[in-house]
Amino acid sequence: MDKTVLALGLFLISIALAGCQENGAGPVEKQTFNDGWRFLRADEGGSEDQFLLSEFDDSGWEIIGIPHTSRIEPLLVNDQWQGTCWYRKKFKIPPEMKHRKLFLHFEGAMNVADVWVNGIHKIKHQGGYLPFVIEFSN
């Protein structure tokens, strides 16, 4: 199965992947999804339109786990950094998950989080560290 590419604008706290059978019966399976993310602050360069493409080469981005802080500020700061950050993750959906409903559960994202899956915009979430869920079944 092709790789799925998840691209996020802004800060992400944590994420979980859950699948359940299409008819709603059966147990929910959860997997942690916090390791192996690629990260870039938008002020570090690059064309943001390219970041959404599945074939975009993000190998030069920092590899991080989440939760993650996009910029460590000094103890005393008058003008806290604000800007856009990108998080990307490539993963494969196992064949046995093909006919299941798949959800991404974000435990929290600060301010605004735009979520794309394979270049398709799924949600624009606004709120301070509030959880949200998206379906991304294929």
Side-chain angles (χ1 to χ4, degrees):
M1 186 172 286
D2 292 339
K3 286 184 181 173
T4 300
V5 177
L6 180 63
L8 305 174
L10 293 180
F11 182 62
L12 177 66
I13 293 294
S14 64
I15 188 172
L17 169 66
C20 60
Q21 293 177 344
E22 194 166 341
N23 63 8
V28 173
E29 299 172 29
K30 294 184 179 182
Q31 299 175 2
T32 59
F33 211 61
N34 295 349
D35 295 326
W37 286 85
R38 300 278 181 168
F39 167 75
L40 179 78
R41 281 201 323 253
D43 62 348
E44 295 175 358
S47 169
E48 294 187 11
D49 291 340
Q50 294 178 30
F51 299 166
L52 302 175
L53 303 174
S54 296
E55 64 274 4
F56 174 76
D57 180 11
D58 57 13
S59 62
W61 291 20
E62 182 180 356
I63 299 173
I64 57 99
I66 49 177
H68 177 256
T69 299
S70 59
R71 181 178 169 132
I72 304 293
E73 298 284 3
L75 193 53
L76 180 60
V77 63
N78 292 324
D79 297 310
Q80 186 177 21
W81 179 83
Q82 294 184 20
T84 301
C85 295
W86 286 88
Y87 294 81
R88 287 175 52 98
K89 184 168 180 107
K90 294 178 184 175
F91 57 98
K92 290 186 179 186
I93 305 296
E96 63 271 14
M97 301 290 277
K98 185 173 178 145
H99 299 293
R100 294 182 169 197
K101 288 191 177 188
L102 302 173
F103 299 87
L104 292 167
H105 173 240
F106 295 84
E107 292 180 2
M110 183 55 191
N111 202 8
V112 179
D114 280 293
V115 180
W116 288 266
V117 177
N118 288 338
I120 299 168
H121 188 254
K122 292 293 192 176
I123 193 171
K124 180 177 191 135
H125 172 77
Q126 294 181 291
Y129 297 117
L130 296 173
F132 61 99
V133 176
I134 65 163
E135 181 181 354
F136 75 105
S137 306
N138 50 0

